[in-house]
Structure formats: structure tokens, C-alpha cells
Amino acid sequence: MSHTGSEAKQPLLDVQGLRKYFPVKGPLGVLGGVKGYVKAVNDVSFQLYEGETLGIVGESGCGKSTMGRTILRLTEPTEGKALYDGGDIFQLSGKGLRAMRKDMQMVFQDPFSSLNPRKRIGQTLEEPLAIHAIGSRHERTERVMEIMHKVGLQLDHFYRYPHEFSGGQRQRIGLARALVVNPKIVICDEPVSALDVSIQSQIINLLQQLQDEFQLTYLFIAHDISVVRHISDRIGVMYLGHMVEQAPTESLFAQPLHPYTQALLSAVPIPNPQKRRERVILRGEIPSPLDLPAGCVFHTRCPFVQDVCKSMAPVKQEVAPNHFVSCHLYGTERE
Ligand code: SF4
């Protein structure tokens, strides 16, 4: 589904001012006290609309996976809200938390590491249904068979063990496990980056088919902007825990505004030489999230850095319909 201009619509998930900091202990461990914080996610806000795919892209370590895990409460947030179904996910406990966990599932980069090697796939896929007390034993088996068929697994795979499957099949199992409880939102964390290129497109196509069939909403996290482009209606670009740009996919590619987005896009191979972008080479290394630069976090690598960038953080602004950027090159508002 394309979501480009329906901001009047209520979002399915509304993330506001999310921060996730990890304390770093001194050399004496707990006795040494906290010597600082790794600021993995810093004041990130976005909305996810029903039926869309919002892609989140950024280099490894930019905080995108931590953000996904925090929304699902696999790790606790430091600050912020995640509004879903009339409540704040970060305030849920007990029954409410379990209900949210049924509605929101995650697909991981390496499904193998989360599969119990001693359990048959059928048992593994039945587990989430048992946890959420869905159906009788017979109904659970039927549901597992149905979802296995939907993700392209054979029914005899039900009795096999994880080591008997290829990488692509394991990711199909990961998808089946996420979908078996009939969720509304699926957070896909680098779901194809460990797969061969030919298998990647099969899994991406499968994700799109499943989205149409089950009216799923995806938060699709990946470092490869070409993959993200293929599946996403909108894209958010993250750098050092900050969402620096957010736009409908077409406008992001037609007119990338943030210098970091421009650098990411300039590295994407384009077959037509007339449409090739000039390569933007970023200088220096990504700073440590333990010691973030003052002002704009990108200023140590930005080809367009100005004095103001070194002391003042840019404010997120909407510079075209649904196209948001945080950079002093645009507009006049400053924080
Ligand atoms: Fe570059 Fe300044 Fe924009 Fe940051 S605010 S991206 S340093 S121009």
C-alpha cells in the first residue's frame, strides 16, 4: 500500500521522542559506577500507518535495530512513548503486554539462532499459539500447516529439524513463526541481509505477498538502501541514533535533502550512466555513540558543515509534503 498523503489518518503506531541509552560501567564493573551512556536511540519520532511499509535505513550501529527491539519491549526504553491501540506500549505489563506481543511480531536477521535445534519445526511454530492460548491442539496444528503453506514450506517440513533447512527456508520459518499468531505489525530486522542475492528477492516478494494477503504493516529495518527502496512506501534514514530524514520513497530518491542521505544514495549503483549521481565520499569514521558530537551529530563528516552545525542541533522540519529533514541547510528554525 502506498502511504504518501494521508496524515489525517490515525497512525497504527505512533512513536514519540524515543530514547534508548545503555549505561557503560567503569573498569570495576558495578563497583566502578556508570562512566557514561551509549546513546543508541536519540529522540526518534515516527508514525506507522496501517498497511504500509516504513523502511528504516542506516549504517550498522546507527540504532535502527535497537529501536525496533525497544518498541517491542525486548529491551526497555530510556524515555518516550509508543502509542498503540489506545495505550502506551512502554506502560504495559501483564495481560496488556502479552496482547501487544501477539499483535506485534519480529522477524530477525538470523532465524536459525532463535530456533531450538532439538525441536521439530512444527513444534517450534506451535509454541507462540500455545503461549497465547490460541485454539485446541488440533486447531494449532492446522494453523501451523496453513501458515507453512503460505510461506512456501512443504507440509513434511513440519517434522524436520532446523539444521535440515537452507538459509532461505529458515527465513521462511522465521516468517511463519511471526505470522502464525496473526499479528498486525511485523518488525523485520535485516530479514534478508544474511541471504544470497537471488534468495533475497524471493523473500522480499514473499513479504509483499503476505502483506497483501494479511493486511500487514511492516517496519522494515535494513542497511541496504536498494532493498529498503524495493519494499518501502516511506523511508526513514538514521544516523547515530537520530532520524535525520523521513520521506515517501519516491521523493527521497528524487530529492534526497540531508547530506547523509545524499551520500548513501550516491553509493547505489545505477545502470544508466546519465542518471548516475556524483559519488559523495564521507570523510572520517562514525563517531562513538558513547561520545556524540555536539550540535548536529553528522557535522564531523558532513561536506557542507557550517559553524552553526557544531553547536546547535537542527530541528526536524517538513520541507515538502511528508518530507522531513533535520539539517541547518533547510529553513531557519533552530533549537
Ligand atoms: Fe551538515 Fe550542518 Fe546539515 Fe548537519 S546540519 S547535515 S553538519 S549541513
Side-chain angles (χ1 to χ4, degrees), residues 244 257-260 295-310 312-314 325-330:
V244 296
L257 297 177
H258 196 281
Y260 178 62
C296 170
V297 284
F298 188 55
H299 88 250
T300 55
R301 303 175 80 197
C302 181
F304 307 107
V305 60
Q306 312 159 52
D307 281 347
V308 64
C309 308
K310 296 176 187 169
M312 218 176 263
V325 66
S326 302
C327 172
H328 288 306
L329 296 176
Y330 307 95

Side-chain angles (χ1 to χ4, degrees), residues 182-251:
N182 204 13
K184 295 193 169 73
I185 296 176
V186 181
I187 298 184
C188 305
D189 186 10
E190 299 275 11
V192 297
S193 53
L195 303 174
D196 290 346
V197 175
S198 59
I199 310 290
Q200 283 188 2
S201 49
Q202 289 176 16
I203 298 292
I204 295 283
N205 290 340
L206 175 62
L207 278 165
Q208 289 177 312
Q209 276 172 30
L210 294 168
Q211 180 171 42
D212 290 343
E213 185 164 355
F214 298 112
Q215 290 87 47
L216 296 167
T217 304
Y218 290 149
L219 186 66
F220 187 93
I221 297 167
H223 68 280
D224 182 340
I225 197 160
S226 307
V227 171
V228 172
R229 176 187 199 173
H230 189 79
I231 195 166
S232 305
D233 300 301
R234 293 186 299 135
I235 295 178
V237 180
M238 281 187 75
Y239 182 79
L240 270 182
H242 294 70
M243 188 85 84
V244 296
E245 187 164 359
Q246 222 184 99
T249 303
E250 274 174 30
S251 50

Side-chain angles (χ1 to χ4, degrees), residues 16-32:
Q16 299 176 1
L18 176 60
R19 292 179 198 269
K20 175 62 190 178
Y21 297 170
F22 293 97
V24 178
K25 304 268 168 37
L28 298 175
V30 182
L31 294 177

Side-chain angles (χ1 to χ4, degrees), residues 235-289:
I235 295 178
V237 180
M238 281 187 75
Y239 182 79
L240 270 182
H242 294 70
M243 188 85 84
V244 296
E245 187 164 359
Q246 222 184 99
T249 303
E250 274 174 30
S251 50
L252 190 89
F253 274 79
Q255 201 184 13
L257 297 177
H258 196 281
Y260 178 62
T261 314
Q262 290 167 359
L264 279 186
L265 295 197
S266 78
V268 176
I270 293 176
N272 181 349
Q274 279 161 359
K275 291 194 172 171
R276 252 175 229 158
R277 299 169 199 273
E278 198 180 322
R279 183 80 199 261
V280 181
I281 309 283
L282 296 179
R283 55 201 168 98
E285 296 292 317
I286 303 187
S288 162

